[in-house]
Amino acid sequence: MDKLYIFGVPIHRVTMIEAVEILKGYLKEDRIHIVATPNAEIIMMAQKDEEYKKILNETDLNVPDGSGVVFASRVFNKPLKERVAGFDLMMEFVKWASHKDVSIYLLGAKPEVVEKAQSNLKNLYPSLKIVGFHHGYFNEKEEENIIEDINKRAAQVLFVALGAPKQEKWIYKNKEKLKVKIAMGVGGSFDVIAGKAKRAPEIYRKLGLEWLYRLIQEPWRYKRMSALPKFAFKVLLARLKGDF
Ligand code: UDP
């Protein structure tokens, strides 16, 4: 699959439609496939965290999640086709899965959030097969029971919402134990599905300003979000040096 490396993190050059097709293909193979959604923040995290970078190099699919990633690809003259936000990919996939016999498990977020997320998904797609869910605040001991529950319920697709990098590290650590076919980190998606967090309106997304909307909504995240201008600066510097 065609991919672009941004500061050591591979990003697959896929459209939303192609990404959904790839996920469908994963269901036909009897092994776990790990899906990540690198954005500028994640790529910057990986610069300081070799373990995280290594994991992102061993995933099966990395979709271009943020407008920062698409921006970088253009600056490097190796344009990605389009932005494929993790949330949108999850929703597109779930829409398709609701007409098929695909079993889904939701892991992560606060107890009331994951519960509300699963009931909202069920309301949206009554035929969707959500075989189980569990919140994301558990200890090592509970972890074994959760994995057993996921396997016992024969979940094929596991959406993990523990935030980055926790979710990818968790999936990677447990990849031999999990009997699912797809495990995908989806960040704050359950909060959005549960109606606890709002996604940026279309206009912000079209202009590549989802981060600005998020900063206005959750100003306490500014420290984490300072990764974005640092990323943009790093991209421009790399371009100037011809170092990409
Ligand atoms: N979360 C969790 N367990 C933890 C830490 C976080 O389940 O130990 C959840 C949190 O409740 C939220 C999600 O992980 O639903 C993280 O969302 P955030 O928006 O921070 O993730 P991002 O998309 O920025 O990685």
Side-chain angles (χ1 to χ4, degrees):
M1 215 190 319
D2 190 17
K3 59 191 164 189
L4 164 71
Y5 281 84
I6 303 183
F7 308 132
V9 176
I11 316 275
H12 291 105
R13 194 171 267 110
V14 290
T15 61
M16 173 62 76
I17 292 173
E18 288 164 349
V20 173
E21 286 305 313
I22 291 167
L23 296 190
K24 289 187 204 169
Y26 288 165
L27 292 174
K28 294 184 192 139
E29 291 170 10
D30 211 10
R31 68 168 178 96
I32 187 169
H33 300 79
I34 304 177
V35 182
T37 62
N39 54 23
E41 222 175 317
I42 289 179
I43 292 173
M44 290 309 274
M45 279 182 203
Q47 302 310 299
K48 293 188 205 146
D49 184 342
E50 275 303 317
E51 182 204 349
Y52 193 32
K53 193 190 266 181
K54 179 178 171 285
I55 291 173
L56 291 170
N57 273 273
E58 290 187 29
T59 47
D60 294 275
L61 176 65
N62 287 346
V63 297
D65 181 82
S67 45
V69 171
V70 176
F71 157 79
S73 76
R74 292 197 182 130
V75 172
F76 296 155
N77 261 328
K78 295 171 182 169
L80 290 160
K81 290 180 189 164
E82 65 181 4
R83 178 181 175 208
V84 181
F87 174 81
D88 294 332
L89 178 57
M90 174 182 171
M91 294 312 280
E92 282 297 318
F93 182 78
V94 157
K95 185 163 79 183
W96 170 81
S98 68
H99 306 294
K100 308 278 165 194
D101 192 26
V102 177
S103 48
I104 289 171
Y105 197 105
L106 308 179
L107 173 64
K110 295 194 180 120
E112 68 278 11
V113 171
V114 66
E115 173 155 20
K116 183 83 177 136
Q118 71 88 29
S119 68
N120 282 355
L121 280 175
K122 280 245 158 199
N123 284 337
L124 193 59
Y125 302 114
S127 52
L128 185 67
K129 223 172 121 192
I130 300 182
V131 291
F133 63 91
H134 197 284
H135 64 79
Y137 296 86
F138 49 83
N139 58 33
E140 291 256 343
K141 242 171 86 192
E142 291 161 313
E143 185 170 295
E144 291 307 311
N145 293 335
I146 295 170
I147 294 173
E148 210 180 293
D149 190 48
I150 295 167
N151 291 340
K152 201 178 67 201
R153 291 170 192 264
Q156 290 167 289
V157 183
L158 174 65
F159 290 113
V160 186
L162 302 175
K166 200 168 182 183
Q167 56 202 18
E168 288 80 18
K169 288 186 176 179
W170 190 87
I171 294 169
Y172 189 80
K173 183 180 89 173
N174 294 304
K175 67 180 173 14
E176 326 293 348
K177 294 185 196 160
L178 290 164
K179 297 209 173 85
V180 300
K181 293 185 175 167
I182 300 173
M184 172 173 169
V186 292
S189 297
F190 297 174
D191 295 76
V192 177
I193 297 168
K196 304 277 174 205
K198 265 194 259 151
R199 257 204 110 195
E202 182 96 24
I203 182 80
Y204 281 81
R205 279 186 264 156
K206 279 225 167 97
L207 294 172
L209 293 175
E210 192 156 8
W211 58 272
L212 176 63
Y213 183 80
R214 193 137 193 214
L215 188 61
I216 298 166
Q217 296 282 315
E218 303 169 50
W220 56 89
R221 291 174 69 97
Y222 81 93
K223 236 188 170 150
R224 228 184 115 161
M225 288 181 66
S226 67
L228 304 180
K230 282 185 195 152
F231 175 79
F233 184 71
K234 199 170 159 63
V235 167
L236 294 172
L237 199 67
R239 167 77 217 216
L240 277 175
K241 289 196 200 155
D243 184 17
F244 48 84

